[in-house]
């Protein structure tokens, strides 16, 4: 397991919106220890089930629930996030699960992060940010460039508000549709679109009551 921070260099070269997005997410993660469930996202688990394992990249990995689950299935996984606090939690979860040798956590802004590596699976689960907007369409376009020939890109997003009592800062946030996320990828005929749809899912409120949420799911495969 490796955790390193190249966010300082990114911040030094561009003092635009990213540092405030980073600050906002850091503050959000500092609110309490563990803001997500720690479990794999259901869409990722169902979509990747049966795929041959290889090298995976999780964009906006947060506290590492998807990273750790993929590593448990045998993938070598790199998770990227703005928040060092979230990544430290992911690293600890990887150690607890005994998969630290197959995981790496990197603090970086995905609007600028570069790599020469190419991945069998690139995934972005709920890479959405409010009230500090991020250049999400640009990030998704860049994500497509990280997929190796034969590999998959999975983009899962809230297609509608995930619960009724939205905090004021979420009012006005625009939830993406599958066709909008697909358009952001600017795919040519080197790609096959396997899934582009809204899927209903039963989630739990903070009180444990079940309620339905809508996930936008886009899965594409690079053919050449
Ligand atoms: C809604 S959370 C989802 C976390 C995780 N994927 C999950 O499903 O539990 C969005 C995550 O994206 C990260 N994020 C937002 N903008 C980012 C950016 N420009 N670069 C890297 N990470 C970013 C945030 O820090 C946050 O952890």
């Amino acid at each position: 397991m490796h955790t390193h921070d190249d966010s300082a260099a990114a911040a030094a070269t561009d003092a635009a919106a990213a540092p405030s997005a980073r600050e906002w997410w850091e503050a959000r993660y500092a609110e309490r220890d563990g803001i997500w469930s720690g479990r794999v996202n259901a869409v990722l688990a169902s979509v990747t089930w049966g795929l041959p394992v290889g090298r995976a990249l999780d964009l906006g990995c947060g506290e590492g629930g998807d990273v750790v689950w993929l590593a448990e299935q045998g993938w070598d996984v790199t998770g990227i996030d703005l928040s060092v606090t979230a990544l430290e939690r992911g690293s600890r979860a990887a150690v607890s699960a005994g998969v630290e040798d197959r995981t790496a956590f990197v603090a970086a802004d995905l609007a600028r992060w570069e790599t020469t590596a190419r991945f069998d699976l690139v995934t972005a689960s709920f890479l959405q940010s409010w009230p500090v907007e991020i250049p999400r369409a640009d990030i998704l376009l860049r994500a497509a460039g990280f997929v190796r020939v034969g590999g998959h890109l999975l983009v899962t997003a809230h297609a509608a508000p995930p619960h009724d009592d939205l905090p004021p800062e979420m009012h006005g946030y625009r939830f993406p549709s599958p066709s909008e996320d697909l358009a952001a990828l600017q795919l040519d005929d080197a790609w096959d679109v396997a899934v582009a749809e809204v899927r209903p899912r039963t989630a739990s409120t903070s009180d444990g009551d079940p309620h339905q949420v809508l996930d936008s799911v886009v899965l594409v495969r690079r053919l050449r």
Side-chain angles (χ1 to χ4, degrees), residues 2 20-21 23 42 57-58 88 107 110 117 120 141 161 219:
H2 316 280
S20 55
E23 286 165 10
L57 178 67
D58 186 6
E88 286 170 353
L110 287 163
D120 302 284
L141 178 60
L219 177 70

Side-chain angles (χ1 to χ4, degrees), residues 100-202:
E100 63 269 33
D101 291 348
R102 284 200 294 281
T103 60
F105 292 91
V106 178
D109 182 352
L110 287 163
R112 297 175 194 81
W113 184 72
E114 290 287 357
T115 180
T116 55
R118 294 296 175 261
F119 297 83
D120 302 284
L121 173 68
V122 177
T123 179
S125 297
F126 310 106
L127 178 58
Q128 291 164 279
S129 184
W130 54 83
V132 183
E133 286 278 3
I134 55 172
R136 189 167 176 277
D138 292 347
I139 291 172
L140 295 184
L141 178 60
R142 301 176 93 245
F146 300 144
V147 180
R148 78 158 182 80
V149 173
H152 290 83
L153 170 62
L154 172 65
V155 181
T156 308
H158 293 297
H163 42 77
D164 289 338
D165 54 341
L166 289 186
E169 67 268 23
M170 262 182 91
H171 296 167
Y173 177 80
R174 229 178 131 263
F175 291 88
S177 67
S179 56
E180 284 168 336
D181 276 358
L182 200 51
L185 301 177
Q186 299 182 24
L187 304 181
D188 59 19
D189 62 3
W191 294 81
D192 178 56
V193 179
V195 179
E197 65 192 25
V198 173
R199 292 185 181 177
R201 172 170 57 89
T202 302

Side-chain angles (χ1 to χ4, degrees), residues 35-121:
I35 64 174
W36 312 120
S37 70
R39 294 188 298 276
V40 65
N41 282 298
V43 167
L44 177 78
S46 69
V47 161
T48 59
W49 194 254
L51 285 184
V53 299
R55 213 168 164 195
L57 178 67
D58 186 6
L59 305 177
C61 66
E63 295 165 332
D66 288 348
V67 171
V68 169
W69 183 86
L70 284 168
E72 287 174 332
Q73 312 312 307
W75 294 82
D76 283 307
V77 196
T78 299
I80 312 277
D81 204 280
L82 283 175
S83 168
V84 172
T85 300
L87 294 167
E88 286 170 353
R89 290 175 189 163
S91 295
R92 287 200 295 274
V95 170
S96 296
V99 294
E100 63 269 33
D101 291 348
R102 284 200 294 281
T103 60
F105 292 91
V106 178
D109 182 352
L110 287 163
R112 297 175 194 81
W113 184 72
E114 290 287 357
T115 180
T116 55
R118 294 296 175 261
F119 297 83
D120 302 284
L121 173 68

